[in-house]
Amino acid sequence: MSVTALEVLHNTFGFTAFRGQQEPVIQHLLDGGDALVLMPTGGGKSLCYQVPALTRPGTAIVVSPLIALMEDQVRSLKQVGVRVGCLNSAMLPQDQRQTKHDLMRGGLDLLYVAPERLLLPQMMEMLEQITISLFAIDEAHCVSQWGHDFRPEYLQLAILGQRFPGVSRVALTATADSRTQREIIDRLALNDAKSFIGSFDRPNIFYRISQKRQAKQQLHAFILNDHPRESGIVYCLSRKKVEELADWLNNHGIRALPYHAGLPAAQRSQNQQMFHHEEGLIMVATVAFGMGVDKPDVRFVAHMDLPRSIEAYYQETGRAGRDGLPATAWLAYGLQDVIILGQMLSQSNAEASIRNVERQKLQAMLAFCEISGCRRQALLAYFDEAMDEPCGHCDLCAEPVATWDATVAAQKALSNVYRTGERFGVTHLVDVLMGKENTRVREKGHEKVSTFGIGRELSQKQWRSVYRQLVARGFLSVTEEHGGLFLTEQSRSLLRGDEVLLLRRDRYDVQETKKTKDTRSRIARSVDIRSEDEPLWNALREVRRVLAKDQRIAPYMIFHDSTLREMVLHRPASLGDMELISGVGQRKLLSYGDDFLTAIRLFEEVAVSARDDENVTVLS
Ligand code: ADP
Ligand code: ZN
C-alpha cells in the first residue's frame, strides 16, 4: 500500500493544496532526484521533505543545525501523529538509546539529527543497516564560510552522496544570493541537483521605515496602535541598549524580555522559551537572537537601529509572519545610525577589502531607507527579482512621500562642508548654515566662512534632513572616527550644477499617532476578525492556551492562528465540518476537535439566547 503525497498533505497536515514550488519539489524527490530548495522564511520548506518522508518507505534523515529548532519541529510533528525522533547532545543517554532503538526497528518516519552526530562512525554504520527514504539538509547555507551561520561540520556532509548512493538528497535554505547557492551545490556535492527557487516576496509583511526622532516613544506608539498584546521582536545594536529598552518597555506597560549573547546561557534559554510559549510577549534582542526563531506568530519585527545590509534587513524582518497572516516590518533610523555603524566598521579587524564591501552594503541599506518608490519593488530588485507593479502594501505605496527640488539647498549644504574643512558633524554644519553665532562656531572662526548664514530659508529639521539624504545618496561620506562629513567623487557634479536633485520631504507627524475609529482590538484587526466574531476568537484562543499549557507546548503547536481564524469564519458544527478546516489533520481532529467544537457550540447558544432576549425587548 502506498499513500500519495496529496493524501499525506490532507490527512496528516490538514492542508488542501500545495503551495508554490512544493509540489514540483516533492515530485522530483519522489522520482529519486536531488534538489536545492530556496524559499523565503515561511515559504513552506519543511513540507518539501516531510511529505516525501511520509510517502516513501524508510526513514528520512533531517540534518538540522540548532537543537531548539530541531526540538520544535519534533514536537510539532508529534502533534500531527508523525513517528519522529531526534538525536542531539542535549538529550539524556536513555532517550538517545530509545531513539536509536526505534530507528533500527523501522519505527521512525523522520529522524532529526545534528550534523556532528550524523557524521560519527557509529551513526553512519547504523544508517547503513536501515532503509533511508531521503536526506534533508536544512539551513544549507551553513556550509558557506562567508555567512554568519557557518558550521564547519556541514562541509563534511558531502560524504552522504558517496556513502549512500541512490538516496535522494535535498538541501534547503532561505538565503538567496547566487554565491551561496553555488557554494551549497559544490560543498555538498549536489552536482546533479535540480534547483527550485521560489519568489522571495513576503506578501503578508507590511514594510514601514520612519525617521528616528524619539525612537522609544515611536516604538511604543507603533506597538500600541498596530500590535498591542502581540508577539514581536525588537532588534537593537548593542547589549546595553537591549537591556535598557526591555526595562523601559516593561515600565511602560509592554511586556518585554531581553536577549543578547552577554546574558547567562540559562537566562537566554529561559527567555527564548517564554517568548516561544507565551503569547503577546516582546523579545528585545541583538541579532544574536536569530536563526533559532521559528515562532510562526511573530506579528512584527522592529529595528531600533539600521541593519548593516539589505540582506540582514530582509533576513531579520523575515522572522515576522511565518504563518502567512499580516505582519509588520518596522524600522526607525537616523543619521546617527550611519555614524555608529561606520565606527563599528572602522574598529573591526577585518581586512580592508571586506570592510569596503561592508561599507557598500551599508550604503545600499541607507539608500533603501530613503527611496521614494515602492519598498517591496526595491527590496526584490536587490535580489534580482522583478516586480511589475508597486505592491500597494508598504508605507510608500500607502502614503506616497512628496519630493522637492533640493538642488540649490544641496549645493549650499555641500559647499558648507567644503568651506568648513570637511570634518564637522551635522549639528555644527547646520548651525553655520543657519548663521548661529554660538561658542563653537566662534571658536572655529566659522562665522567668517562664506556659507555662514546662507541657509536661513530652511529650518534646522529640514537641513538635517538634507544632510541625512545627501549621505544616504552617497554625496557625502562620514568619517569613521568622529562622524564628520566629507565630500565624495559624486558630489562634484551636483556642486557644478550638472544635476537636479529631488529629495524626500520628511513626514514629522506620521501615522504612528493616528487614531482609528475601528473598535476591534488590534490583534483581531491584524488577523482580520470581524468585531462581532471577536468574543469567539478569544474563546478559541483560550481553549488553545489551556490545551498547550497542559502539554507544556507552545499554543501554535495546537493550532496556528490561521486555523483558528478559519474556525471563526466557518463555525464547524461537527467533526466532519471540522475536518475541512485548513490545518486540521486526522490526529489533531481526534485530539482537539471536540474541545473546539464545544467552545463554538457554547458560543452560538449564548449568541442565540442574547438575540432572543433582544427580540423580546423589541416586541414588548
Ligand atoms: P519555512 O521552513 O520555509 O520557513 P515552514 O515550513 O515553517 O516554512 O512553513 C511556514 C508555514 O506555512 C507553516 O505554518 C506551515 O504549516 C504553513 N504551510 C506550509 N505549506 C502549506 C500548505 N501547502 N498549505 C497551508 N499551509 C502551509
Ligand atoms: Zn509598495
Side-chain angles (χ1 to χ4, degrees), residues 112-267:
Y112 282 78
V113 52
E116 59 277 8
R117 289 265 129 172
L118 176 69
L119 293 160
L120 294 176
Q122 188 216 9
M123 188 72 208
M124 284 291 185
E125 282 159 25
M126 284 171 66
L127 293 185
E128 274 167 347
Q129 293 168 41
I130 61 166
T131 307
I132 298 177
S133 55
L134 68 113
F135 285 104
I137 300 162
D138 208 1
E139 312 288 355
H141 61 279
C142 290
V143 295
S144 167
Q145 268 155 319
W146 298 99
H148 299 293
D149 303 325
F150 176 54
R151 298 278 299 236
E153 315 85 47
Y154 262 65
L155 292 176
Q156 293 169 47
L157 293 172
I159 70 161
L160 294 176
Q162 297 152 23
R163 291 276 297 254
F164 304 91
V167 178
S168 289
R169 289 175 299 148
V170 53
L172 309 103
T173 179
T175 300
D177 70 76
S178 54
R179 186 174 64 185
T180 313
Q181 284 172 44
R182 276 196 307 278
E183 274 186 282
I184 294 173
I185 290 177
D186 286 349
R187 303 213 160 141
L188 296 179
L190 281 169
N191 309 319
D192 299 323
K194 184 164 176 192
S195 293
F196 295 87
I197 302 176
S199 164
F200 272 74
D201 186 21
R202 300 287 311 278
N204 58 317
I205 297 183
F206 186 96
Y207 295 96
R208 182 184 290 296
I209 299 181
S210 319
Q211 261 83 51
K212 202 182 269 186
R213 295 178 306 281
Q214 291 176 297
K216 288 205 280 268
Q217 281 77 7
Q218 286 171 281
L219 176 73
H220 190 258
F222 160 69
I223 295 174
L224 287 192
N225 263 318
D226 289 9
H227 297 284
R229 294 178 303 284
E230 296 189 343
S231 299
I233 304 173
V234 181
Y235 284 117
C236 301
L237 212 51
S238 72
R239 297 172 183 188
K240 183 161 161 264
K241 201 163 158 186
V242 163
E243 296 192 6
E244 281 171 7
L245 183 60
D247 280 346
W248 189 90
L249 286 173
N250 281 311
N251 291 335
H252 288 76
I254 293 177
R255 285 183 65 223
L257 297 170
Y259 188 103
H260 60 70
L263 291 174
Q267 192 188 343

Side-chain angles (χ1 to χ4, degrees), residues 429-476:
L429 289 168
V430 173
D431 284 348
V432 175
L433 273 179
M434 297 187 72
K436 289 200 181 137
E437 223 173 309
N438 57 27
T439 328
R440 193 166 152 79
V441 169
R442 269 200 305 273
E443 215 171 77
K444 304 287 170 193
H446 287 165
E447 77 278 15
K448 299 197 194 73
V449 298
S450 59
T451 48
F452 182 78
I454 61 166
R456 294 199 173 91
E457 73 277 20
L458 297 185
S459 70
Q460 195 181 23
K461 262 185 193 162
Q462 285 167 322
W463 279 119
R464 290 189 73 88
S465 163
V466 169
Y467 275 117
R468 192 194 70 238
Q469 297 188 59
L470 287 172
V471 172
R473 305 276 195 100
F475 292 107
L476 285 171

Side-chain angles (χ1 to χ4, degrees), residues 42 66 87 113 136 186 210 244 303 363 442 484 490 494 537 567 613:
L66 284 177
L87 285 175
V113 52
D186 286 349
S210 319
E244 281 171 7
H303 281 93
Q363 191 66 42
R442 269 200 305 273
Q490 219 182 310
L494 199 55
W537 165 252
M567 290 185 197
D613 287 351

Side-chain angles (χ1 to χ4, degrees), residues 237-523:
L237 212 51
S238 72
R239 297 172 183 188
K240 183 161 161 264
K241 201 163 158 186
V242 163
E243 296 192 6
E244 281 171 7
L245 183 60
D247 280 346
W248 189 90
L249 286 173
N250 281 311
N251 291 335
H252 288 76
I254 293 177
R255 285 183 65 223
L257 297 170
Y259 188 103
H260 60 70
L263 291 174
Q267 192 188 343
R268 276 207 313 265
S269 91
Q270 189 190 351
N271 287 1
Q272 176 151 3
Q273 196 72 6
M274 279 171 72
F275 177 64
H276 224 96
H277 284 204
E278 289 182 32
E279 301 188 291
L281 198 52
I282 286 167
M283 190 67 112
V284 184
T286 58
V287 287
F289 184 66
M291 214 166 80
V293 192
D294 70 342
K295 187 175 163 64
D297 55 354
V298 173
R299 294 269 67 86
F300 70 90
V301 168
H303 281 93
M304 295 295 277
D305 296 297
L306 192 70
R308 48 184 68 223
S309 65
I310 293 184
E311 288 92 337
Y313 173 75
Y314 177 80
Q315 205 175 54
E316 286 149 23
T317 54
R319 291 170 189 142
R322 292 179 74 126
D323 54 10
L325 293 174
T328 311
W330 185 92
L331 161 66
Y333 95 102
L335 193 52
Q336 199 56 27
D337 292 320
V338 187
I339 293 167
I340 293 171
L341 277 173
Q343 282 166 344
M344 283 173 72
L345 276 179
S346 74
Q347 284 155 11
S348 93
N349 300 321
E351 281 171 43
S353 62
I354 295 184
R355 265 162 48 185
N356 214 9
V357 172
E358 292 187 345
R359 204 165 296 123
Q360 284 166 16
K361 291 192 165 191
L362 178 57
Q363 191 66 42
M365 180 65 215
L366 197 56
F368 173 70
C369 291
E370 296 285 0
I371 56 169
S372 42
C374 168
R375 298 254 187 238
R376 196 178 312 272
Q377 269 181 326
L379 197 55
L380 291 175
Y382 188 81
F383 295 113
D384 296 325
E385 199 177 319
M387 187 175 176
D388 296 337
E389 297 285 318
C391 74
H393 194 56
C394 70
D395 56 349
L396 296 175
C397 281
E399 305 146 57
V401 283
T403 54
W404 58 293
D405 182 345
T407 315
V408 173
Q411 284 167 345
K412 289 182 180 178
L414 292 177
S415 43
N416 187 40
V417 169
Y418 182 71
R419 298 286 166 203
T420 50
E422 300 190 63
R423 56 203 168 85
F424 291 93
V426 174
T427 309
H428 182 72
L429 289 168
V430 173
D431 284 348
V432 175
L433 273 179
M434 297 187 72
K436 289 200 181 137
E437 223 173 309
N438 57 27
T439 328
R440 193 166 152 79
V441 169
R442 269 200 305 273
E443 215 171 77
K444 304 287 170 193
H446 287 165
E447 77 278 15
K448 299 197 194 73
V449 298
S450 59
T451 48
F452 182 78
I454 61 166
R456 294 199 173 91
E457 73 277 20
L458 297 185
S459 70
Q460 195 181 23
K461 262 185 193 162
Q462 285 167 322
W463 279 119
R464 290 189 73 88
S465 163
V466 169
Y467 275 117
R468 192 194 70 238
Q469 297 188 59
L470 287 172
V471 172
R473 305 276 195 100
F475 292 107
L476 285 171
S477 267
V478 182
T479 60
E480 288 171 352
E481 296 74 30
H482 309 293
L485 302 187
F486 59 95
L487 303 180
T488 64
E489 230 5 72
Q490 219 182 310
S491 27
R492 290 212 186 137
S493 65
L494 199 55
L495 274 171
R496 276 199 307 264
D498 297 347
E499 211 177 313
V500 172
L501 181 72
L502 295 182
L503 291 183
R504 292 165 45 130
R505 218 178 265 293
D506 280 355
R507 272 194 293 254
Y508 293 106
D509 49 348
V510 272
Q511 57 300 320
E512 278 149 4
T513 48
K514 204 167 68 185
K515 289 268 175 295
T516 38
K517 282 219 188 78
D518 203 329
T519 55
R520 288 177 292 172
S521 76
R522 187 60 209 209
I523 182 153

